Amino acid sequence: SHKGFSRLMLAGKVGAALRVLDTSPSVPLNITPEVVDALQAKHPPAQPVSRHHLVSTKPPPTFEGSLFDSIDAAAVCRAASTTKGGSGPSGMSSSLWSRMICSKAFGKESDALAHAIARTLR
């Protein structure tokens, strides 16, 4: 509940508050004129884009290869199993991601997903 979350946050129990969010059912709001008005009130009006914000004249940063080369499916599974939190833009909680990536219940698909994420991160 929102009250439970607020109470825990005010008490400084961030982890417990995040667990409340993680276990709360997330249901999208119906799109009503009131919801649209509330969302528009929370976002500033669009601004024109300047070309120097889009194109950089600097070369992209380089990273030491070994930092990213060490990311493999096992590292992805370890990270997924220790990540906690509610759903983000995907709408899937950290516990669901962990289950999809690390569970043997999905067989080869879990392993394939972990490998795909590792390749993307490298």
Side-chain angles (χ1 to χ4, degrees), residues 50-105:
S50 172
R51 181 154 178 82
H52 78 273
H53 287 114
L54 297 176
V55 179
S56 174
T57 57
K58 293 188 250 178
T62 57
F63 299 99
E64 187 172 324
S66 63
L67 175 69
F68 295 104
D69 290 342
S70 64
I71 299 173
D72 60 5
V76 170
C77 184
R78 280 193 306 276
S81 64
T82 58
T83 300
K84 305 293 180 218
S87 60
S90 69
M92 298 188 310
S93 67
S94 60
S95 59
L96 179 56
W97 274 106
S98 178
R99 185 166 181 260
M100 288 188 333
I101 294 169
C102 304
S103 174
K104 300 301 177 200

Side-chain angles (χ1 to χ4, degrees), residues 2-4 9 12 14 20 27 33 35 38 46-47 49 110 118-119 122:
H2 291 22
K3 287 182 182 180
M9 286 299 288
V14 176
V20 167
V27 178
V35 169
Q47 298 293 316
V49 176
S110 285
R119 277 192 307 275
R122 286 193 299 261

